[in-house]
Amino acid sequence: MDNIEIAKRIVELSGGKRNIVSNSVYKTELIIKVKKINKIEISNFMEIGEALGVTAEEGNIIKILFRADRINLIAEELSKITRTRLNEITEEEREREKEKKESQDIQKISSEISQKIEKIEKEKVKEERKKELEELKKLSPFSRFLRKILNVFIPLLPVLIATGFIHGITNIADILPEGRFFTETWWYQVLKTIGWMAYTYLPVFVCMNTAKEFKGNRILGGITGLLFVSNSSMPLNRLPVILPFSHKPYFPEIGGLVIVLIAGIIVAFVERGLKRIMPGILKEVVVPLLTLIISVFTVIFLTQPFGGLLIKQIYESLNILFEQMEVLGGLVLSIVFIPLSLLGLQGGLLSINSILNDPEGPTKGLNYILPVLMMASGGQIGGAIAIFIKTKNKKIKKIIRSALPVSVIGVSEPLIYTVTLPLIRPFITACIGAGAGGTLAAFFNLSTVKSSILGFFGFLTVAKGTHFFFIAAMMGAYLGGFI
């Protein structure tokens, strides 16, 4: 078939020349645009002897493949028959191309804007990081150390507040007469377990975060932290005597988080030191092994030799102080209780509590020391309220707002470890301020008949007729810490 016959056949198969809108050539393809394509049998184009292939595309487009030496000649004959210009673009196609170009331009501009925004944000982050580093450089080594300690507790704050709230509420429910309707139910015990778990295993989380903050392995820190979790199954606690020391181990009582922090720091420094001196091939196995052994033995040798002696001396001193100088004893006990707890040296006070709580004991179950100890947290709450009023730091305000409610119901750890203690001076003054409440508690001769609640709601546990005096003493602790 010659070129004219092929062109005529194409027109015929395309539904006549009036159905053809345009035709153009791209390489070896003849591109025909038609008005209606639904009645056209695309496969029929292969009947043309010179056609090498045919396809149909969106937009009523038919593409026929011819030999390179024939394609232009066939297209010219087709243009003569249909009276259309070869490679002419229709108004519709122009609009489509225009829209396509505009869309591409918009995408290009959008991409450029996104890149600029990303660049600005990165520069902003760099600038903020640079400012932080400059601020850190201005801080003293001790202040930088305290900031690291704060970084240990900040990630734990939401969990401590949530579980502390559960812990406090369930403790209150345990002693209320109405509590008997649900305290034995399974769901209540599940809630109580949630609160119990978080604070029982808090040393593990603190030791993990401390090790990580000081660039050590957080899992090794967590294993070391388990030393400070009370567990009767622990082999160390089952031994009557630990050589070379001549006193009973007291890990359950030494759960003071300051000691736990020290343990986490020891883990990090031991691990980093071993990594520097250990050959690469041995690091993966030997470093974790030696880190655990060295860290645990170091913690034991640091805490054990004098721990028992200190607890014994504290017990004897405070017992004499409280018995012989009641008001002065209340002042001193309420001031020193939280510092002793931080160091894990509250064991002496706990021993006195256990004696006083005994219904068969000398006081017939009336505990005169616990109301005094409850005032310690009141001082911290008063101090935190003062900080909230004075500070312009939004982050500290937010933390205090979150931690205050749970502190009022007797769980003051979140407030102490994320607000007053990292600021040092407010912690000290809050401890001193708590002495006002302790003095009043001793002056009013307050006593508790139950020991499951701390904080403001401790008034539910005091002896009959003294509830108002307990509230007055707690308000004194709040005011003392605030002042």
Side-chain angles (χ1 to χ4, degrees), residues 404-423:
L404 263 179
V406 77
S407 298
V408 170
I409 62 174
V411 183
S412 55
E413 283 87 351
L415 197 63
I416 294 171
Y417 287 106
T418 59
V419 179
T420 58
L421 184 60
L423 295 174

Side-chain angles (χ1 to χ4, degrees), residues 81-305:
I81 295 169
T82 58
R83 295 182 182 180
T84 59
R85 288 184 182 180
L86 182 61
N87 297 328
E88 182 180 17
I89 300 174
T90 64
E91 192 64 32
E92 186 184 347
E93 287 171 333
R94 268 196 202 91
E95 285 296 322
R96 191 179 291 112
E97 285 295 321
K98 185 180 177 183
E99 288 174 4
K100 186 178 178 181
K101 189 174 182 303
E102 286 175 353
S103 177
Q104 288 173 344
D105 290 342
I106 290 169
Q107 286 178 355
K108 186 179 177 182
I109 292 167
S110 176
S111 177
E112 288 174 356
I113 291 170
S114 297
Q115 287 174 358
K116 284 180 181 178
I117 291 171
E118 191 177 342
K119 187 178 178 182
I120 290 167
E121 286 177 348
K122 283 181 179 178
E123 287 175 356
K124 189 178 178 182
V125 170
K126 283 182 182 177
E127 192 65 30
E128 287 175 354
R129 182 61 182 156
K130 189 177 177 183
K131 284 181 181 178
E132 284 180 9
L133 290 172
E134 286 174 359
E135 286 177 8
L136 283 172
K137 286 177 184 177
K138 292 177 185 177
L139 295 173
S140 66
F142 185 63
S143 296
R144 284 200 293 271
F145 174 78
L146 285 176
R147 181 165 288 194
K148 279 183 172 290
I149 299 304
L150 183 60
N151 291 339
V152 170
F153 289 100
I154 287 296
L156 296 172
L157 183 61
V159 176
L160 292 180
I161 290 172
T163 55
F165 186 77
I166 293 171
H167 194 56
I169 292 296
T170 53
N171 282 344
I172 293 170
D174 282 342
I175 67 162
L176 292 175
E178 296 81 3
R180 67 180 184 276
F181 295 112
F182 51 83
T183 51
E184 299 302 321
T185 60
W186 68 269
W187 58 265
Y188 177 81
Q189 294 304 321
V190 170
L191 285 177
K192 199 166 179 64
T193 301
I194 292 170
W196 173 86
M197 284 190 301
Y199 283 87
T200 301
Y201 291 94
L202 182 59
V204 178
F205 306 133
V206 171
C207 210
M208 287 176 74
N209 283 4
T210 306
K212 181 184 175 183
E213 185 64 28
F214 287 86
K215 298 180 174 61
N217 186 307
R218 64 198 303 265
I219 305 301
L220 294 177
I223 293 171
T224 306
L226 284 167
L227 274 173
F228 305 97
V229 175
S230 179
N231 189 332
S232 59
S233 299
M234 188 187 290
L236 190 63
N237 286 333
R238 290 206 304 266
L239 294 175
V241 173
I242 298 181
L243 296 177
F245 315 125
S246 59
H247 61 272
K248 188 180 176 181
Y250 67 109
F251 280 112
E253 291 84 18
I254 201 170
L257 294 187
V258 170
I259 304 298
V260 178
L261 285 167
I262 294 169
I265 294 168
I266 289 170
V267 170
F269 276 88
V270 169
E271 184 191 15
R272 284 161 52 191
L274 288 171
K275 280 183 176 178
R276 281 196 291 268
I277 62 173
M278 196 68 62
I281 195 168
L282 298 174
K283 280 184 181 179
E284 293 299 320
V285 178
V286 178
V287 169
L289 174 65
L290 290 180
T291 299
L292 279 175
I293 293 172
I294 294 170
S295 300
V296 170
F297 273 90
T298 301
V299 169
I300 290 171
F301 273 85
L302 284 176
T303 58
Q304 289 290 308

